[in-house]
């Protein structure tokens, strides 16, 4: 009976997918959602490919999934993935069914599945990944994810004991995930370690998870990402198996050592967050058996997708677009820090980081902007901040509290337009920071700025 | 004047750290004590004019309860003396009679200042908004929580909900109040979002403070009140 229900769900989903594709739709979620509705344990019946890699974590899972899929394909693998669809249960099912035979066997060599942390129990209950990659566990939308302790609770409950883990060793919350899993690989960054031992107040990890003693940070790169140690019991961040030992921005290279053996790779992006992502990708591919030389050759041919990062120059006007994932304090803070860290003066920053969904029939909870470090925006190299969107007044107050002078702030209460407020006479280095659901609006601002420049 | 911010390293979740920081910006001449969790609360052995504690994880909530339990009598003394005390988010739940952590199957005794109980379910998260009336003052805030409180607060509420839910979905009376102890699940951060309430709370300590960035704070507040008064705006749902 169970099998009959599975086949019915599988074939219905395939039929719906075919119909949607004929209508020119992506069909990357709805067929999966329908299949789950018809057969709630459908993941238990699908015959998975030889290698299933689940990618989760607060920040970076899309980038890592996309890079892994791309590099595996370049290495000759056939790969099922949910890059075009949703990362919740329906999207995962849709991706697998898309590549499944009529009997439910996934035909590809591997599946790279981005999985939302909140969907862990629904997905890993029936689909046991061979590898689970966790990029980090940080604060995210409080509406869904509450706090990192809650996410860790969910992941600990959900991850099957036999799964091999590939974890960020510089994130002690992430590194401690799922103690039931014995095979663990850690990645981290040693190069450019900040100096000084910062205070841990306000971080999501202040006290030792083992003995309750106050943790000490050897250094922190951002939030709780860095190296920590408990002086009371000696518990500490694990030694990474894959370690970034050198970042050479001028040459555009990064050295990553595996078990002490360094290998130089093309630096995909010099944002520290993306260096973690790149190191993570190298670790996964190595564990899958790819040689460092093969990984290096693959990395030479890929880029971080432009929907996440893009840079153009026109007539001396530089425009950098960076996705900043609204309601995610850490992702936004990293983008703010990235802008502050870039060389140059008279930068302008255009913000599209309010929540698009909450702007329709709701009013966004601004808690997260107070969990986010806005102090980089007070950097003297930043001459103008343009906050656009319905929460621009909240953004203004937050920026003022962070020390940004009032005269540097301009407000535009809509997601549409606002580019004309950017002072392109004074500011020739413009950053557009945008939530992933506001990419079209961000592109419109970029287009308007380029047209204004061309018309000068 | 002396203010104490309790356990800021773990009780500043959901932006609540900025309640304390905003107070400190409003009262630069005050002596602020930021007591870490590893130390005895300053109020235990010293007079304080204001006390604040913010939201925390559910695990931290259990540990904070044990930390404060030995000082229950001293807290009651401060409450009786009319010292302004504000507990926001799930810090408000510390003052209940009992917290029932349904998911883990654990019940923990609260400080018992109010005869209400808390039910915490990690698989049921509630997100909502509140447009409230506190004795003629408009207060706005947000709820993002795993818990609801149950019990009778008709004589001990913080504010009446014009829109949104109070202690629980069946209640229109939000929070708990005893003299100048105000316990509310509202987030925001509450003091930053509500310049009138922030001035009122500081007034309970006998201070007429100049709030930081008053025009920007007022503009954001006015816009939020306008939005929350719009009948098209949704006020709460579970995820």
């Amino acid at each position: 009976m169970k099998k009959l229900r599975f086949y019915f769900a599988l074939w219905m989903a395939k039929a719906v997918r075919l119909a949607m594709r004929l209508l020119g739709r992506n069909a990357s979620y709805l067929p999966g959602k329908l299949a789950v509705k018809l057969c709630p344990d459908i993941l238990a019946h699908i015959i998975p490919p030889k290698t299933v890699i689940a990618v989760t974590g607060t920040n970076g899972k899309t980038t890592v999934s996309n890079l892994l899929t791309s590099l595996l394909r370049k290495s000759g693998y056939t790969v099922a993935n949910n890059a075009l669809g949703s990362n919740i249960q329906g999207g995962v099912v849709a991706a697998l069914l898309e590549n499944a035979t009529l009997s439910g066997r996934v035909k590809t060599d591997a599946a790279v599945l981005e999985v939302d942390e909140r969907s862990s129990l629904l997905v890993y209950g029936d689909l046991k990944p061979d590898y689970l990659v966790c990029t980090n566990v940080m604060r995210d939308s409080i509406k869904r994810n509450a706090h990192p302790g809650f996410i860790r609770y969910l992941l600990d409950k959900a991850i099957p004991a036999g799964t091999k883990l590939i974890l960020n060793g510089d994130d002690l919350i992430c590194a401690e995930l799922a103690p039931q899993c014995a095979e663990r690989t850690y990645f981290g960054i040693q190069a450019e370690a900040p100096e000084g031992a910062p205070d841990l107040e306000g971080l999501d990890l202040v006290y030792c998870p083992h003995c309750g003693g106050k943790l000490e940070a050897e250094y922190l790169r951002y939030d709780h990402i860095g190296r920590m140690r408990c002086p009371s019991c000696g518990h500490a961040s694990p030694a990474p198996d894959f370690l970034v030992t050198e970042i050479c921005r001028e040459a555009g290279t990064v050295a990553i050592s595996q078990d002490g053996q360094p290998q130089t790779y093309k630096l995909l992006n010099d944002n520290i967050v993306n260096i973690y992502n790149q190191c993570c990708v190298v670790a996964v591919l190595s564990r899958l058996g790819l040689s460092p030389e093969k990984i290096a050759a693959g990395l030479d041919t890929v880029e971080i997708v432009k929907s996440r990062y893009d840079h153009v120059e026109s007539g001396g006007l530089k425009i950098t677009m960076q996705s900043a994932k609204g309601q995610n304090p850490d992702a936004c803070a990293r983008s703010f820090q990235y802008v502050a860290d870039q060389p140059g003066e008279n930068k302008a920053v255009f913000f599209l980081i309010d929540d698009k969904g909450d702007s329709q029939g709701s009013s966004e909870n601004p808690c997260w902007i107070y969990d986010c470090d806005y102090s980089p925006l007070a950097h003297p190299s930043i001459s103008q901040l343009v906050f656009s969107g319905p929460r621009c007044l909240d953004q203004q107050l937050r920026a003022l509290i962070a020390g940004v002078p009032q005269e540097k702030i301009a407000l535009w209460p809509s997601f549409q337009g606002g580019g004309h407020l950017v002072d392109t006479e004074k500011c020739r280095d413009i950053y557009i920071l945008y939530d992933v659901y506001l990419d079209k609006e961000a592109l419109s601002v970029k287009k308007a700025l380029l047209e204004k420049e061309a018309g000068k | 004047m002396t203010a104490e911010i309790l356990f800021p390293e773990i009780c500043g979740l959901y932006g609540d750290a900025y309640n304390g920081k905003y107070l400190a910006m409003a009262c630069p001449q005050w002596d602020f004590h930021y007591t870490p969790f590893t130390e005895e609360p300053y109020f235990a052995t010293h007079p304080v004019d204001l006390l604040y504690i913010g939201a925390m994880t559910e695990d931290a909530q259990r540990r904070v309860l044990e930390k404060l339990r030995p000082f229950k009598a001293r807290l009651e003394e401060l409450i009786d003396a009319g010292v302004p005390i504000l507990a926001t988010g799930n810090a408000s739940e510390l003052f209940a009679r009992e917290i029932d952590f349904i998911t883990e199957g654990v019940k923990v005794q609260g400080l018992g200042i109010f005869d209400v109980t808390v039910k915490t379910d990690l698989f049921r998260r509630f997100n909502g908004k509140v447009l409230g009336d506190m004795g003629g003052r408009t207060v706005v805030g947000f709820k993002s929580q795993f818990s609801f409180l149950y019990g009778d607060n008709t004589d001990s509420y913080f504010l009446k909900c014009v829109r949104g839910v109070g202690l629980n979905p069946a209640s229109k009376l939000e929070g708990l109040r005893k003299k100048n102890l105000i316990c509310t699940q509202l987030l925001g951060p509450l003091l930053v979002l509500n310049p009138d309430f922030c001035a009122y709370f500081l007034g309970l300590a006998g201070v007429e403070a100049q709030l930081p960035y008053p025009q920007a704070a007022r503009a954001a507040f006015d816009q939020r009140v306008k939005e929350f008064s719009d009948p098209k705006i949704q006020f709460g749902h579970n995820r």
Side-chain angles (χ1 to χ4, degrees):
Chain A
M1 186 64 189
K2 271 190 170 182
K3 273 286 177 194
L4 273 180
R5 195 174 57 179
F6 164 63
Y7 288 126
F8 180 65
L10 168 67
W11 297 335
M12 283 298 287
K14 280 194 165 287
V16 168
R17 181 177 183 278
L18 182 65
M20 289 179 73
R21 295 294 292 173
L22 287 171
L23 292 169
R25 307 272 299 276
N26 252 344
S28 56
Y29 174 61
L30 203 62
K33 189 183 174 188
L34 172 74
V36 172
K37 185 100 177 160
L38 295 172
C39 179
D41 62 345
I42 191 161
L43 280 172
H45 298 285
I46 295 172
I47 302 166
K50 187 179 167 203
T51 306
V52 176
I53 304 161
V55 183
T56 195
T58 311
N59 299 314
K61 55 184 177 284
T62 303
T63 301
V64 167
S65 300
N66 290 343
L67 285 172
L68 281 175
T69 301
S70 180
L71 288 163
L72 283 172
R73 283 179 178 156
K74 284 175 191 294
S75 297
Y77 284 70
T78 53
V79 183
N81 88 321
N82 54 342
L84 292 174
S86 134
N87 62 8
I88 59 177
Q89 189 188 21
V92 169
V93 171
L96 293 173
L97 293 187
E98 179 189 338
N99 293 281
T101 62
L102 288 174
S103 63
R105 184 180 60 81
V106 180
K107 295 172 288 186
T108 56
D109 301 322
V112 175
L113 302 167
E114 177 185 333
V115 182
D116 175 74
E117 306 87 275
R118 278 293 303 263
S119 300
S120 302
L121 286 165
L122 291 171
V123 173
Y124 310 136
D126 290 323
L127 176 73
K128 312 228 176 305
D130 301 289
Y131 294 89
L132 183 134
V133 181
C134 187
T135 52
N136 47 59
V137 182
M138 319 284 287
R139 291 190 194 186
D140 201 344
S141 161
I142 71 164
K143 289 197 299 186
R144 297 187 72 250
N145 290 24
H147 52 77
F150 171 61
I151 295 304
R152 182 178 168 187
Y153 171 80
L154 287 182
L155 289 169
D156 281 354
K157 275 181 86 81
I159 299 172
T163 295
K164 301 178 184 94
L165 302 181
I166 295 170
L167 306 168
N168 188 336
D170 288 354
D171 175 347
L172 200 47
I173 299 177
C174 176
E176 303 250 305
L177 281 180
Q180 66 271 25
C181 298
E183 279 196 56
R184 310 169 78 87
T185 295
Y186 300 105
F187 62 90
I189 301 177
Q190 181 186 57
E192 299 181 358
E195 288 183 7
D199 186 18
L200 304 181
E201 183 187 322
L203 301 186
D204 291 305
L205 196 64
V206 179
Y207 294 105
C208 176
H210 293 263
C211 76
K214 187 158 189 189
L215 291 167
E216 285 180 356
E218 185 185 331
Y219 61 81
L220 294 176
R221 292 184 188 277
Y222 56 88
D223 209 87
H224 62 271
I225 303 296
R227 305 296 295 172
M228 289 187 180
R229 184 179 176 278
C230 175
S232 303
C233 73
H235 181 64
S237 307
D241 304 287
F242 292 82
L243 189 62
V244 173
T245 53
E246 192 179 1
I247 302 162
C248 188
R249 289 180 166 78
E250 284 174 7
T253 59
V254 58
I256 300 175
S257 78
Q258 176 184 350
D259 304 322
Q261 296 297 312
Q263 169 76 34
T264 301
Y265 301 96
K266 181 181 97 171
L267 179 64
L268 296 181
N269 181 274
D270 66 355
N271 187 326
I272 196 77
V273 172
N274 280 324
I275 298 174
Y276 273 112
N277 290 337
Q278 183 172 346
C279 188
C280 173
V281 166
V282 169
V284 178
L285 295 175
S286 291
R287 286 297 182 245
L288 288 174
L290 273 68
S291 69
E293 294 74 21
K294 195 160 190 179
I295 297 169
L299 284 168
D300 281 343
T301 65
V302 296
E303 290 184 343
I304 302 278
V305 288
K306 287 202 169 184
S307 64
R308 302 269 154 175
Y309 176 85
D310 190 22
H311 179 84
V312 292
E313 293 195 28
S314 172
L317 186 74
K318 295 190 275 186
I319 302 177
T320 304
M321 296 183 62
Q322 180 142 334
S323 110
K325 206 175 175 187
Q327 299 198 340
N328 179 315
D330 174 68
C332 283
R334 297 287 54 78
S335 294
F336 301 167
Q337 190 63 57
Y338 178 75
V339 174
D341 288 345
Q342 294 312 295
E345 296 298 316
N346 289 327
K347 302 167 193 163
V349 190
F350 191 97
F351 297 85
L352 271 163
I353 56 174
D354 293 353
D355 189 85
K356 194 173 184 178
D358 274 354
S359 71
Q360 294 154 356
S362 188
S363 175
E364 185 179 353
N365 183 341
C367 285
W368 72 271
I369 70 173
Y370 289 91
D371 274 342
C372 176
D373 182 7
Y374 273 53
S375 63
L377 299 178
H379 194 272
S381 68
I382 300 174
S383 298
Q384 191 187 28
L385 306 177
V386 181
F387 291 111
S388 73
R391 299 265 63 84
C392 64
L393 289 168
D394 286 318
Q395 296 285 355
Q396 171 180 241
L397 179 59
R398 178 68 187 91
L400 289 169
I401 289 173
V404 175
Q406 178 76 69
E407 60 271 18
K408 288 188 177 180
I409 299 173
L411 304 178
W412 183 252
S414 168
F415 288 138
Q416 312 298 330
H420 64 284
L421 291 174
V422 179
D423 182 357
T424 51
E425 292 300 317
K426 181 179 180 184
C427 304
R428 305 295 291 164
D429 199 356
I430 298 161
Y431 295 82
I432 302 172
L433 306 184
Y434 63 99
D435 181 61
V436 285
Y437 296 106
L438 291 166
D439 53 342
K440 289 183 181 64
E441 291 81 353
L443 284 170
S444 293
V445 172
K446 175 182 151 186
K447 187 168 171 244
L449 289 167
L450 289 172
E451 284 173 356
K452 185 177 162 188
E453 183 67 14
K456 272 199 333 191
Chain B
M1 301 286 277
T2 302
E4 180 174 15
I5 310 295
L6 281 170
F7 319 135
E9 77 279 30
I10 55 171
C11 296
L13 205 58
Y14 308 142
D16 266 5
Y18 272 82
N19 280 320
K21 289 179 183 177
Y22 200 66
L23 285 173
M25 290 174 87
C27 307
Q29 71 282 17
W30 285 30
D31 185 13
F32 272 78
H33 285 265
Y34 299 91
T35 306
F37 185 70
T38 45
E39 290 180 15
E40 182 179 88
Y42 184 78
F43 72 75
T45 49
H46 300 82
V48 292
D49 300 294
L50 186 151
L51 196 60
Y52 173 72
I53 182 165
M56 64 203 89
T57 68
E58 291 66 37
D59 180 52
Q61 193 184 33
R62 291 189 280 263
R63 288 185 286 134
V64 166
L65 255 180
E66 297 317 310
K67 182 83 181 180
L68 290 179
R69 201 180 302 286
F71 309 106
K72 181 187 171 186
R74 173 63 179 149
L75 275 169
E76 286 176 321
E77 197 179 304
L78 294 174
I79 295 164
D80 289 340
V83 171
I85 302 173
L86 178 63
T88 54
N90 65 353
S92 63
E93 299 163 7
L94 301 169
F95 297 85
R97 181 165 44 83
E98 182 185 83
I99 304 178
D100 182 358
F101 294 94
I102 294 168
T103 327
E104 294 103 319
V106 177
K107 288 185 180 179
V108 179
Q109 293 293 303
L111 294 173
I113 305 295
F114 300 100
D115 187 21
V116 295
T117 58
V118 183
K119 289 188 187 299
T120 302
D121 181 350
L122 294 181
F123 291 112
R124 199 167 173 83
R125 188 154 183 84
F126 175 79
N127 290 287
K129 310 173 191 65
V130 168
L131 175 64
D133 178 87
M134 190 198 70
R137 265 182 205 84
T138 298
V139 174
V140 287
F142 293 83
K143 293 193 172 204
S144 195
Q145 58 201 46
F146 291 117
S147 49
F148 284 116
L149 288 81
Y150 296 88
D152 184 2
N153 67 337
T154 46
D155 295 324
S156 57
Y157 62 88
F158 165 46
L159 53 77
K160 289 182 181 173
C161 298
V162 179
R163 297 186 73 189
V165 306
L167 290 188
N168 56 64
S171 163
K172 294 302 275 184
L173 300 175
E174 208 287 326
L176 299 158
R177 180 156 186 178
K178 184 176 183 184
K179 293 195 172 179
N180 291 336
L181 164 66
I182 295 171
C183 300
T184 173
Q185 288 182 303
L186 292 185
L187 304 168
L190 186 68
L191 295 175
V192 185
L193 260 54
N194 291 277
D196 293 337
F197 173 68
C198 187
Y200 167 82
F201 183 64
L202 285 168
L204 295 177
V207 175
E208 195 175 326
Q210 171 66 42
L211 299 183
Y213 312 107
Q215 289 172 332
R218 173 66 53 192
F221 172 76
D222 288 346
Q223 187 201 22
R224 188 163 288 105
V225 172
K226 189 178 163 194
E227 288 175 359
F228 279 24
S229 305
D230 181 346
K232 293 199 286 285
I233 293 287
Q234 296 168 358
F235 260 68
H237 59 276
N238 289 306
R239 299 195 73 123

